[in-house]
Amino acid sequence: MDNDSIIELSKYDSGSVQFCTDCKHYSVVFGNVVLNFNFEELYNFKKMLDNIKKPNFNVEINQEMRTVIFARPTTIGFSLNENEVTLVNKMVHEALIIGEVKDLISG
């Protein structure tokens, strides 16, 4: 995989969503977390983010209420506060839309 095969679909100061044209996988980069998905997995991740509500922020870390998201099938997880969930969800949403537009344009 080289830099020519990476398309940045969504970018913010704290993260981005990229697509690799070689391996056809998406990378969600946020802080020091990198998650890789195929299209279906990314779509399911977006649906999971959509379903996170106030009661899910039930773990206190450094005096801040956060939700923990586990990387299945492992038990490795990462935590996000409410604003971070909103931002990651926005990044993924934008990436899915831009990816669809690129597919339509390229035929």
Side-chain angles (χ1 to χ4, degrees), residues 23-62:
C23 67
K24 307 296 186 215
H25 274 79
Y26 297 82
S27 294
V28 177
V29 180
F30 190 77
N32 64 352
V33 175
V34 178
L35 305 169
N36 290 305
F37 302 100
N38 64 30
F39 177 81
E40 183 180 341
E41 292 165 340
L42 182 65
Y43 183 77
N44 288 334
F45 180 65
K46 167 79 173 85
K47 288 192 323 188
M48 185 269 309
L49 291 171
D50 287 340
N51 289 323
I52 296 176
K53 304 296 180 218
K54 248 323 182 206
N56 298 111
F57 296 92
N58 56 7
V59 177
E60 187 175 336
I61 300 174
N62 296 328

Side-chain angles (χ1 to χ4, degrees):
M1 176 170 63
D2 58 40
N3 287 341
D4 292 338
S5 64
I6 302 297
I7 299 170
E8 197 161 62
L9 299 174
S10 180
K11 181 170 176 55
Y12 289 83
D13 288 341
S14 49
S16 65
V17 180
Q18 304 164 351
F19 179 72
C20 176
T21 57
D22 289 342
C23 67
K24 307 296 186 215
H25 274 79
Y26 297 82
S27 294
V28 177
V29 180
F30 190 77
N32 64 352
V33 175
V34 178
L35 305 169
N36 290 305
F37 302 100
N38 64 30
F39 177 81
E40 183 180 341
E41 292 165 340
L42 182 65
Y43 183 77
N44 288 334
F45 180 65
K46 167 79 173 85
K47 288 192 323 188
M48 185 269 309
L49 291 171
D50 287 340
N51 289 323
I52 296 176
K53 304 296 180 218
K54 248 323 182 206
N56 298 111
F57 296 92
N58 56 7
V59 177
E60 187 175 336
I61 300 174
N62 296 328
Q63 300 159 345
E64 179 179 48
M65 296 309 291
R66 301 175 74 81
T67 189
V68 176
I69 298 171
F70 289 97
R72 301 282 183 229
T74 69
T75 57
I76 296 171
F78 60 96
S79 70
L80 299 172
N81 66 29
E82 197 168 354
N83 291 332
E84 292 168 337
V85 168
T86 300
L87 180 56
V88 172
N89 198 0
K90 184 176 180 178
M91 288 183 345
V92 171
H93 181 74
E94 286 177 6
L96 288 168
I97 290 172
I98 291 170
E100 287 181 33
V101 169
K102 285 185 179 293
D103 286 347
L104 288 172
I105 290 171
S106 66

